[in-house]
Amino acid sequence: MTESDNEFVCFKNVQKSYDGKILVVKDLNLSIGRGEFLTMLGPSGSGKTTCLLMLAGFETATHGQILLDGKTINNIPPHKRGIGMVFQNYALFPHMSVEENLSFPLEVRSMGRSMREQKVKHALDMVQMSEFATRRPSQLSGGQQQRIALARALVFEPELVLMDEPLGALDKQLREHMQFEIKHLHERLKVTVVYVTHDQTEALTMSDRVAVFDDGIIQQLASPDTLYEEPINSFVAQFVGENNTLTGVVEKIDKSSATVRLDSGDMISAMPVNIHKSGERTQVSIRPERVETDMKRLPEGGYTISAEVLEFIYMGDVFRTRLKVAGNDDFIVKSRNSPDQSRLTPGETIKIGWLPQDCRALDA
Amino acid sequence: MRALLLIAPLLAFVLITFVMPIADMLFRSVENGIVSDILPRTSAAIKDWNSQGVDDLPHENVYRNLLVDLTIAVKRRTQTRVGSRLNYEAAGISSSFRRVGRGLRSFNTEPYSNYFIHQDENWGDTGYLEQLFSNPRISAALPSSASAFRTWQTDFSSDQIITPDDFVFVALASDLSTLANDKVSDLGIDSLRTAHADIDQLSTSSIKHMFIEFDKNWGDVNLWKTIKTFSPRYTDGYFLNAVDLKRGIDGVERRDQSERIYLVLFVRTAVMSLTITVLCILLGYPVAYLLAHLPLRKANLLLILVLLPFWTSLLVRTSAWKVLLQQEGVINDILVTIGLVDDAARLVMINNQFGTIVAMSHILLPFMILPLYSVMKTIPPSYIRAARSLGATPFTAFWRVYFPQSLPGIGAGSVLVFILAVGYYITPELVGGVKGTFISNRIAYHISSSLNWGLGAALGTLLLVAVLILYWVYDRIVGIDNVKLG
Ligand SMILES: Nc1ncnc2c1ncn2[C@@H]1O[C@H](COP(=O)(O)OP(=O)(O)OP(=O)(O)O)[C@@H](O)[C@H]1O
Ligand SMILES: [Mg+2]
């Protein structure tokens, strides 16, 4: 990979303010490689769409530079950027048929008729929508409209495709199916995709890398597994995946381990992530599936603590148990439904345990 | 049911103040009761007359019936109404009616009463006649005289007079002379048979001659044709008139060049309304676009400016255009001052079509802007963005994506503006002069000045039908579902 392949899209110190007072995007630095699938994940209002609009050219950056393939594009109008875009509401032109919608980007590029027809057909085949060519968008279901929108963004073969919550309006099952399809298209066409969502499962399953946004800042930029297993602050830990938190004060800290006095008085040891000195308040984070309720399975060196069972939920593939641990009565444990797994009854007091390296001490 | 009760007051209000007057007005465009109401016997008698040439005047009996009708009409003071009604169709008739009404007394009708009374004293006795006409068979055989006698009884007789007026005998003569011998015999009344035998004697004192001698117009075939044409209860005459046609000697024909005014007016109304509509689209579209895309606060301010005209009187606005456009007006003054126009050749911009178009476009502009605005507001910005991201220039994106979606707004605005313009009345009246007036001004003239309500109603009906047809065509082409008012 050359330098420019690693930096196909590049935000450099980009800031954006709509009203001149509040910065919606604060000092964004982000490089996206050629062919990468990058997801911007974040809560509502965190500035994801704004970033996408700046990249597409519909909003201008208040400060900073945006580069595409090594060239600054700040002053290039949207229609000359050659970036495909899929909108949350699809934005299919209601007065044109599916065919005409797909043909539109080719027509404005003055492509010949036979060439156009061929490409439109190819794009429709790609999303398995050939038999709907003559329909109006209003005569299609949400999922079908979604496919057409996708085909339209790809039909003129852009190198970069932006998608702003493209699956937001679909039901769960269809959404999962479409995630899979988009992912496959990405792999086949080798386009670069910048994808916006506030659904963390979607982000984790589809992306090469995920940028977690909050408050106009990238909180963490990492691959899905790193993001899930090694969140670098409590926002990311909370936002990505399910998470148990115990609050306390740092008692003692060195490079690879820290001792935390929980608010209940218990002392636990944890991995220090972004705490720096003793006396600091901290949130300790443990994933529900890393907590063991059966002491026989707890590996050597595990930490144990007593807990009261509040609720037991049978979910088929997993058991979900709500416990009261160190004053936190919303402590969740997930255990696999295996033959030897014990089913807990509410009211009993048990011992639970985890490994100190699964227990991350983050900022409060 | 309860819903119906709740809207009942409104329904009644609309029905009484709106639907009924309009229905009545529409009915007047074909209704033509005046001639047959006031000249019932003449109308009946003239039915069989079909003129073969200029000398072929109606039969003596028609004149006799006219005399009877007119005598009654004069008594009731209604004879001028027939005159004015017929005058719409042929100028000059009303004076013939007025004059004959005054001169009727000088007609020597005594021979008629004498003829009957000399034969039989009983004819001079009201009681005898009363008894005679109370027989339904006789009333049916002698319709004119029966009704004339009854009218005489109610409108003319007093306790002192026992002999009917002459006109009753004129009617009797007319009835008898049309009956065949055997019919009279069938009635079985001797005095009738005797009177019938010699009835031709009376042709020596011809009522027809009396009329023509008094006023030679009554010997004019055309006058009678007019009466005959307009004697039926319903007429298409108003409608023919409204499209510059008339019922001539050989059926329907075009009016003389000098009398053709309505078709020109209809066409002018349509063309000018269309011009105004197009002008409103051209002027209103950018404003609506701006309104729909400005930040809310500024858009509201602009909207108030658009709506401002609604809060000032229509008359004030129209008069303001007078001030601006007249030859000594503001615009001419400015043009002269900057030397663009010579002082001697100031532009004529008012009291012509230009004035009407300018003033009306201004007045109707909000009706274009508001529907456009409400449609444009519902077009999400993502469509334009999508088009741009797909490679369209700003203009292509607008023209191929935005504009087609704003068409329902244009449609709604156009229908609104055009229909309002077609029926507009005050503004063309004030700034239109002669060349810039609409059909509605003519309708108003007929309703309030010439009092030819029938013609006014016919013109109004045509206008209504034209608008409905247009609406239908529009629905066919564009689809009324595609029209959005908000
Ligand atoms: N056109 C605008 N004018 C002013 N403020 C805006 C505009 N568009 C967005 N904002 C503000 O900028 C912030 C970020 O908006 P943005 O649309 O980027 O959020 P987002 O991350 O896409 O949220 P969501 O997940 O809800 O789509 C929000 O606080 C929003 O109110
Ligand atoms: Mg968004």
Side-chain angles (χ1 to χ4, degrees):
Chain A
M1 269 203 190
T2 69
E3 180 72 4
S4 93
D5 277 350
N6 270 328
E7 295 187 351
F8 182 56
V9 177
C10 192
F11 289 85
K12 279 192 181 155
N13 305 101
V14 172
Q15 296 183 351
K16 173 69 187 175
S17 168
Y18 284 106
D19 52 10
K21 288 181 218 135
I22 302 160
L23 282 181
V24 172
V25 175
K26 301 169 187 158
D27 199 33
L28 176 71
N29 285 291
L30 175 64
S31 296
I32 303 166
R34 194 186 289 272
E36 186 174 4
F37 196 118
L38 182 120
T39 298
M40 295 178 174
L41 173 69
S44 191
S46 56
K48 308 180 296 288
T49 299
T50 306
C51 287
L52 222 55
L53 291 181
M54 284 192 290
L55 185 51
F58 298 118
E59 293 291 350
T60 48
T62 317
H63 182 82
Q65 254 191 330
I66 302 172
L67 296 111
L68 179 65
D69 209 3
K71 291 181 280 288
T72 308
I73 54 167
N74 287 38
N75 292 320
I76 297 178
H79 63 279
K80 290 193 180 143
R81 296 193 181 188
I83 298 175
M85 189 152 180
V86 182
F87 293 82
Q88 177 164 8
N89 58 2
Y90 316 136
L92 294 176
F93 306 138
H95 58 290
M96 297 184 191
S97 70
V98 163
E99 240 166 6
E100 288 163 342
N101 262 287
L102 258 65
S103 176
F104 182 84
L106 308 177
E107 271 169 51
V108 298
R109 286 174 169 74
S110 323
M111 194 175 279
R113 167 179 282 272
S114 59
M115 189 71 165
R116 273 194 335 245
E117 277 168 7
Q118 188 188 329
K119 292 213 175 202
V120 168
K121 191 181 168 306
H122 180 75
L124 282 175
D125 283 342
M126 186 171 73
V127 292
Q128 296 131 42
M129 289 289 291
S130 312
E131 65 260 54
F132 299 98
T134 54
R135 293 239 193 132
R136 286 286 165 105
S138 57
Q139 298 167 317
L140 298 176
S141 74
Q144 291 165 338
Q145 291 184 31
Q146 175 55 55
R147 284 161 199 250
I148 300 303
L150 202 60
R152 191 179 65 177
L154 293 170
V155 70
F156 61 100
E157 292 164 11
E159 282 189 272
L160 175 61
V161 179
L162 314 181
M163 304 191 191
D164 190 359
E165 302 193 32
L167 308 180
L170 305 183
D171 64 57
K172 187 167 178 292
Q173 209 161 357
L174 195 56
R175 197 158 65 222
E176 280 165 9
H177 182 74
M178 287 303 295
Q179 286 170 9
F180 179 75
E181 276 192 32
I182 291 176
K183 187 74 195 141
H184 272 244
L185 276 175
H186 166 248
E187 274 158 16
R188 230 173 67 217
L189 301 174
K190 301 195 166 48
V191 290
T192 312
V193 177
V194 179
Y195 192 96
V196 163
T197 182
H198 55 234
D199 178 339
Q200 40 106 0
T201 332
E202 200 165 289
L204 295 182
T205 49
M206 298 174 81
S207 328
D208 296 328
R209 279 193 304 161
V210 179
V212 180
F213 271 69
D214 187 40
D215 199 21
I217 292 172
I218 294 187
Q219 302 287 341
Q220 186 169 6
L221 173 63
S223 62
D225 53 345
T226 315
L227 201 64
Y228 186 80
E229 278 162 34
E230 295 163 25
I232 57 164
N233 60 33
S234 54
F235 174 81
V236 177
Q238 292 289 356
F239 196 76
V240 181
E242 207 170 0
N243 190 51
N244 294 311
T245 49
L246 301 170
T247 53
V249 180
V250 180
E251 192 79 357
K252 204 172 92 217
I253 177 168
D254 60 43
K255 260 210 178 69
S256 61
S257 95
T259 311
V260 176
R261 180 193 294 278
L262 297 180
D263 294 345
S264 60
D266 297 274
M267 299 283 269
I268 62 170
S269 70
M271 266 244 313
V273 180
N274 58 352
I275 51 172
H276 309 290
K277 55 183 193 292
S278 56
E280 215 177 333
R281 279 201 71 77
T282 181
Q283 281 188 13
V284 179
S285 129
I286 313 136
R287 296 284 180 200
E289 67 277 7
R290 295 293 166 95
V291 180
E292 196 53 73
T293 51
D294 188 350
M295 286 308 110
K296 293 195 290 293
R297 296 168 185 240
L298 189 66
E300 196 71 6
Y303 171 81
T304 57
I305 187 168
S306 68
E308 184 190 346
V309 180
L310 296 177
E311 203 176 355
F312 176 83
I313 304 166
Y314 177 83
M315 293 179 74
D317 52 346
V318 292
F319 300 151
R320 190 181 158 88
T321 318
R322 190 160 67 83
L323 304 168
K324 183 173 174 148
V325 177
N328 177 357
D329 56 6
D330 200 18
F331 195 99
I332 305 293
V333 175
K334 278 188 195 160
S335 34
R336 200 163 61 85
N337 183 2
S338 56
D340 56 341
Q341 189 67 260
S342 59
R343 299 186 184 189
L344 300 167
T345 38
E348 73 179 302
T349 303
I350 56 164
K351 284 242 170 254
I352 59 169
W354 58 73
L355 289 173
Q357 58 263 38
D358 290 333
C359 180
R360 299 168 66 81
L362 305 166
D363 55 310
Chain B
M1 198 55 219
R2 179 181 298 190
L4 214 62
L5 272 176
L6 284 173
I7 60 160
L10 177 66
L11 211 63
F13 177 78
V14 167
L15 220 65
I16 291 169
T17 62
F18 190 68
V19 176
M20 281 189 351
I22 287 181
D24 177 63
M25 210 58 220
L26 295 183
F27 179 63
R28 274 172 201 275
S29 62
V30 290
E31 194 246 16
N32 185 39
I34 289 183
V35 177
S36 52
D37 281 347
I38 298 176
L39 306 176
R41 298 165 195 85
T42 318
S43 303
I46 206 171
K47 242 175 220 156
D48 301 328
W49 175 67
N50 282 306
S51 177
Q52 305 298 323
V54 267
D55 298 327
D56 188 12
L57 283 170
H59 187 262
E60 166 73 16
N61 277 335
V62 176
Y63 285 90
R64 285 175 177 165
N65 279 304
L66 180 64
L67 180 119
V68 176
D69 285 338
L70 281 176
T71 310
I72 293 168
V74 168
K75 180 79 180 176
R76 291 176 175 168
R77 299 176 197 284
T78 51
Q79 92 277 16
T80 50
R81 283 178 49 204
V82 197
S84 352
R85 165 66 189 92
L86 291 174
N87 209 52
Y88 299 143
E89 314 301 335
I93 286 194
S94 81
S95 69
S96 295
F97 271 90
R98 226 180 7 254
R99 281 180 34 214
V100 86
R102 277 193 308 251
L104 220 48
R105 244 169 299 149
S106 67
F107 283 31
N108 180 20
T109 50
E110 235 164 78
Y112 286 81
S113 50
N114 287 344
Y115 169 80
F116 287 94
I117 296 169
H118 284 170
Q119 279 182 355
D120 190 335
E121 289 267 297
N122 277 334
W123 283 116
D125 180 15
T126 315
Y128 175 73
L129 286 172
E130 169 123 39
Q131 195 200 338
L132 193 71
F133 286 125
S134 63
N135 180 342
R137 276 181 61 225
I138 293 177
S139 302
L142 308 169
S144 281
S145 28
S147 68
F149 174 69
R150 291 215 176 93
T151 312
W152 175 79
Q153 276 191 312
T154 53
D155 289 16
F156 291 74
S157 81
S158 62
D159 290 344
Q160 286 87 38
I161 310 169
I162 49 157
T163 305
D165 284 356
D166 290 349
F167 74 87
V168 178
F169 296 102
V170 174
L172 202 49
S174 155
D175 278 344
L176 280 176
S177 66
T178 56
L179 284 181
N181 274 327
D182 48 339
K183 281 261 175 80
V184 180
S185 311
D186 283 351
L187 292 173
I189 308 282
D190 283 340
S191 58
L192 275 177
R193 213 168 348 198
T194 321
H196 180 255
D198 285 336
I199 200 77
D200 287 347
Q201 263 184 30
L202 280 172
S203 55
T204 51
S205 36
S206 162
I207 303 279
K208 183 173 177 176
H209 284 145
M210 290 181 211
F211 266 97
I212 298 172
E213 215 147 90
F214 180 80
D215 178 350
K216 65 178 183 346
N217 284 337
W218 290 104
D220 180 359
V221 172
N222 288 329
L223 183 150
W224 283 103
K225 276 186 178 159
T226 310
I227 294 177
K228 180 178 158 75
T229 309
F230 292 93
S231 59
R233 193 145 268 286
Y234 299 100
T235 178
D236 55 5
Y238 293 123
F239 277 103
L240 291 177
N241 195 350
V243 291
D244 293 340
L245 298 173
K246 67 177 174 189
R247 205 167 276 286
I249 320 279
D250 321 302
V252 177
E253 62 185 47
R254 294 196 68 181
R255 281 181 180 264
D256 299 338
Q257 191 73 43
S258 59
E259 292 178 344
R260 292 179 200 159
I261 44 173
Y262 299 116
L263 276 187
V264 177
L265 263 179
F266 271 117
V267 170
R268 186 200 290 164
T269 304
V271 169
M272 283 176 65
S273 298
L274 210 65
T275 314
I276 290 164
T277 309
V278 170
L279 217 63
C280 279
I281 295 174
L282 294 181
L283 295 173
Y285 198 94
V287 178
Y289 186 88
L290 202 64
L291 270 175
H293 291 86
L294 239 44
L296 201 62
R297 194 195 268 268
K298 285 183 193 158
N300 282 341
L301 195 73
L302 200 61
L303 199 62
I304 288 174
L305 292 181
V306 169
L307 291 174
L308 205 61
F310 279 135
W311 303 336
T312 47
S313 151
L314 181 66
L315 282 171
V316 171
R317 274 179 283 159
T318 309
S319 310
W321 278 111
K322 276 199 137 143
V323 173
L324 284 172
L325 294 177
Q326 60 187 270
Q327 278 194 289
E328 301 299 319
V330 178
I331 293 179
N332 263 313
D333 281 350
I334 292 174
L335 289 178
V336 169
T337 312
I338 60 174
L340 225 69
V341 165
D342 194 70
D343 198 14
R346 283 168 174 258
L347 301 174
V348 185
M349 295 184 290
I350 200 133
N351 294 332
N352 56 13
Q353 302 196 355
F354 181 82
T356 305
I357 290 175
V358 168
M360 281 188 55
S361 301
H362 170 235
I363 285 162
L364 295 177
L365 202 53
F367 295 98
M368 180 63 76
I369 293 178
L370 292 180
L372 265 177
Y373 168 62
S374 68
V375 167
M376 286 176 175
K377 270 206 21 166
T378 62
I379 304 175
S382 60
Y383 286 127
I384 284 284
R385 284 185 181 158
R388 297 290 307 279
S389 80
L390 293 170
T393 59
F395 176 77
T396 313
F398 168 79
W399 184 244
R400 296 230 12 225
V401 175
Y402 192 88
F403 183 75
Q405 294 190 64
S406 66
L407 278 178
I410 295 184
S414 300
V415 169
L416 218 68
V417 168
F418 186 81
I419 289 177
L420 281 173
V422 156
Y424 231 71
Y425 153 67
I426 297 176
T427 305
E429 185 73 30
L430 291 179
V431 301
V434 181
K435 281 269 156 71
T437 48
F438 280 12
I439 195 72
S440 42
N441 299 102
R442 207 63 203 169
I443 296 175
Y445 164 78
H446 284 306
I447 299 293
S448 58
S449 298
S450 81
L451 299 186
N452 188 354
W453 287 15
L455 181 55
L459 289 170
T461 308
L462 283 183
L463 190 61
L464 182 64
V465 169
V467 168
L468 287 179
I469 289 176
L470 238 131
Y471 187 81
W472 178 79
V473 169
Y474 186 87
D475 184 32
R476 264 317 176 75
I477 298 173
V478 183
I480 232 65
D481 308 342
N482 274 336
V483 168
K484 281 196 223 154
L485 286 175

